[in-house]
Amino acid sequence: MSESLQVTIVFEEGEDGWVVASIPEVPGANSQGKTREEARANVIDALRGILELRFGGHPDPAAADSEPLQLVIGA
């Protein structure tokens, strides 16, 4: 069984030539960069930080019934 989770990165022109990127599905996932590629990388880092803050470290697999889930962000 294959499942995926899709989010959207929205790019907008910011001040002084900066590119602003956000992920509307995740409040607070916002960043910017000098290029679209840099803004994309920065907003993905912001998403990663939000998820790490919200869910903390990895639980001990022996402590609970659990399974890993990997979110892969493609181009």
Side-chain angles (χ1 to χ4, degrees):
M1 177 169 74
S2 177
E3 295 182 47
S4 65
L5 175 63
Q6 182 172 325
V7 296
T8 306
I9 301 175
V10 176
F11 298 96
E12 300 176 84
E13 287 187 33
E15 294 181 21
D16 298 325
W18 286 82
V19 178
V20 177
S22 63
I23 300 175
E25 297 89 348
V26 183
N30 306 297
S31 195
Q32 63 183 5
K34 292 185 179 183
T35 65
R36 182 182 174 104
E37 293 77 21
E38 183 179 33
R40 180 184 186 278
N42 290 344
V43 79
I44 291 169
D45 283 342
L47 174 60
R48 183 178 292 113
I50 289 168
L51 293 175
E52 287 174 356
L53 283 173
R54 173 64 175 94
F55 298 107
H58 301 289
D60 179 5
D65 182 12
S66 64
E67 68 179 67
L69 173 65
Q70 182 176 359
L71 172 62
V72 177
I73 299 177

